[in-house]
Amino acid sequence: MRRSRYFSRARHHADAETLSKLARRMSESGSRIEDRIWERRLVELINDRLARGFDEVIDAALDDLATNHAGAYDDLADLAESCAESGSLEIEGKRHEGLLIALPVLAWSRYKLPSGPLPSAVVDNAAVQISAHLAARGARCAVADTLYSIDQLPESLGEVRDVAESLFDAATRGQSLKVDQKSLREPILMLADSRYLLAAIIVPEGTPVYHWQESGVDPDSKSAAEQAFAEQLTGVLAPVMTGCRYRVLAPNAFHAALRFGDRELRGFSLDAAVSYLKLTYELLPTSLQATIAAYENKRDRPATELRIGISRADDDDAVVEGVVWPLLGDDEEQATEEVEAAIKRMGIHKIVTHAHRFPLEYCDDCGAPMFPNPSGHSVHTEPMEDEGDRPTSPLH
Ligand SMILES: [Zn+2]
């Protein structure tokens, strides 16, 4: 889908350097007036490179800033994400703005979680709910006809821009977006995971995007609107989420929604693991113990994630279920305390927290993460003796 044209290495380098320079100056700016000038120049350059399919220039600038210029990195990343997920377009001779939004849904099931094409009634109903509860009056909306897993979503800035433009185009024509299902990867099997719907909202330039931004509407009505939307979308999705427990989260602009989804998925997954053991094997939280350990990529680096192994209270070796808790920039110590508190809230009182780090390991056969056991080893989860029909259990 991406355009690939000849672009000299020297030009690429010069462009990345200009972006990095502008972002550094912007991060030092002390006023809105100065900010706006840097921002305008950056947005112009970013939009031009995205439109021409040269988003690797932006990635190169971000790489350059990542180590020594955290403030400038954040500014440039914010702008680049915002440029990729929004756009300006002309409809009937009038300037309009489009925003790509994502609707996160957390789900768990002992069966395979749904993903892929959505029935047209579901797509149409989702669009109706976006118009009714989220978008400003008179906005044009379109929904993509796919339930995406996280690894099926557009990844690079250029891919995000492509999907946004396709959805803006569909919204302009008053249609839904038909996604080529062959272009989507097969999702990794997980007990609990996130799913996303993608949609676009288009409004006349400079006017409110969301309903709660309109004049005469209380800005605080936002949470009630999001709640009403979540309730309605829960009903709309029921036919595709059979056999799942699921929770619709507040929608947001594409990148913000993904970050929120990742964050919320952590506690949800822990809950799902404990509920699964209870419902499927009648293992009550009081008969379980949890082991927490930090896993890292290399020595002397901050841990990249916490992993939680769940075992029977009387077995210090076998791990029956595991949960990955990515740190997402959080402080490791605080995150560990948060995990401990969450485990206790679920009724598991026996908790082992290992002080030593484990290498970030996965099973060579099935790619599943390894989890810590109470005796201090990193092990593969073991299917329960009376293993039922859960398809995700490893057979090796
Ligand atoms: Zn395996």
Side-chain angles (χ1 to χ4, degrees):
M1 193 177 356
R2 292 305 296 165
R3 302 153 286 269
S4 87
R5 280 177 222 161
Y6 176 71
F7 200 48
S8 84
R9 188 169 286 189
R11 181 69 193 282
H12 182 125
H13 184 74
D15 258 11
E17 204 153 274
T18 306
L19 279 171
S20 151
K21 213 182 287 178
L22 291 170
R24 272 181 278 136
R25 294 294 86 80
M26 184 168 143
S27 73
E28 294 160 2
S29 145
S31 70
R32 285 286 295 151
I33 293 177
E34 192 186 342
D35 270 356
R36 274 205 300 270
I37 308 293
W38 296 127
E39 192 174 306
R40 199 183 307 146
R41 288 177 63 181
L42 276 164
V43 165
E44 230 165 67
L45 191 54
I46 293 168
N47 274 334
D48 177 76
R49 295 309 181 259
L50 282 177
R52 293 161 60 189
F54 298 142
D55 45 308
E56 65 271 18
V57 165
I58 304 162
D59 294 328
L62 286 169
D63 284 346
D64 178 44
L65 295 170
T67 27
N68 296 318
H69 303 279
Y73 175 91
D74 288 344
D75 285 347
L76 181 60
D78 278 352
L79 277 182
E81 287 181 353
S82 150
C83 287
E85 69 198 10
S86 59
S88 171
L89 59 157
E90 195 155 307
I91 305 174
E92 291 158 4
K94 254 185 95 184
R95 293 313 298 169
H96 281 69
E97 288 169 313
L99 178 65
L100 172 66
I101 62 168
L103 287 50
V105 180
L106 304 180
W108 79 265
S109 176
R110 48 188 297 211
Y111 308 105
K112 191 181 165 191
L113 288 173
S115 67
L118 289 168
S120 60
V122 171
V123 178
D124 294 345
N125 281 338
V128 167
Q129 299 309 331
I130 291 171
S131 295
H133 298 285
L134 303 177
R137 208 167 297 121
R140 293 163 194 257
C141 305
V143 175
D145 68 346
T146 298
L147 187 63
Y148 292 88
S149 74
I150 190 86
D151 41 346
Q152 292 174 328
L153 286 170
E155 207 178 329
S156 70
L157 292 167
E159 286 166 355
V160 173
R161 166 63 69 100
D162 280 344
V163 172
E165 280 179 353
S166 307
L167 268 163
F168 298 159
D169 193 40
T172 307
R173 286 182 282 110
Q175 294 171 350
S176 61
L177 174 66
K178 304 250 170 295
V179 176
D180 175 15
Q181 301 293 326
K182 289 195 291 289
S183 68
L184 303 177
R185 276 187 274 174
E186 185 60 27
I188 295 161
L189 292 176
M190 307 271 276
L191 175 68
D193 208 354
S194 48
R195 291 290 182 264
Y196 291 87
L197 271 87
L198 296 184
I201 299 177
I202 296 181
V203 294
E205 195 170 58
T207 67
V209 173
Y210 298 112
H211 174 57
W212 51 85
Q213 294 182 297
E214 291 176 285
S215 66
V217 178
D218 180 5
D220 276 352
S221 65
K222 179 183 178 186
S223 56
E226 284 176 342
Q227 201 177 333
F229 175 77
E231 279 166 23
Q232 294 301 320
L233 192 66
T234 301
V236 168
L237 289 176
V240 280
M241 305 299 284
T242 40
C244 303
R245 301 212 167 183
Y246 63 104
R247 190 163 91 217
V248 173
L249 301 179
N252 210 334
F254 179 80
H255 291 98
L258 262 61
R259 273 193 280 272
F260 184 57
D262 282 351
R263 200 156 267 284
E264 292 295 303
L265 179 62
R266 306 181 302 181
F268 184 87
S269 301
L270 194 54
D271 231 345
V274 176
S275 303
Y276 165 70
L277 292 172
K278 191 162 131 190
L279 293 172
T280 313
Y281 302 106
E282 291 174 350
L283 276 173
L284 293 175
T286 45
S287 65
L288 299 170
Q289 59 178 330
T291 312
I292 308 169
Y295 280 67
E296 63 183 357
N297 235 333
K298 280 181 198 153
R299 259 175 200 287
D300 307 323
R301 275 190 155 195
T304 50
E305 60 193 40
L306 299 178
R307 288 185 186 175
I308 304 137
I310 300 173
S311 311
R312 289 172 188 271
D314 57 2
D315 184 348
D316 284 352
D317 296 315
V319 169
V320 292
E321 193 57 62
V323 176
V324 173
W325 187 286
L327 286 174
L328 308 175
D330 295 344
D331 175 69
E332 186 188 326
E333 206 170 312
Q334 266 176 15
T336 308
E337 283 168 20
E338 199 185 325
V339 172
E340 284 169 350
I343 293 170
K344 279 183 196 150
R345 266 200 307 277
M346 277 167 229
I348 300 179
H349 297 295
K350 204 172 166 192
I351 302 174
V352 180
T353 305
H354 291 304
H356 68 277
R357 305 287 180 88
F358 291 82
L360 204 66
E361 268 183 324
Y362 298 87
C363 168
D364 289 338
D365 291 319
C366 70
M370 309 296 260
F371 292 100
N373 70 7
S375 50
H377 300 284
S378 194
V379 298
H380 203 297
T381 51
E382 281 178 31
M384 303 279 295
E385 295 275 312
D386 52 342
E387 179 60 23
D389 44 1
R390 186 181 166 202
T392 52
S393 294
L395 298 167
H396 49 273

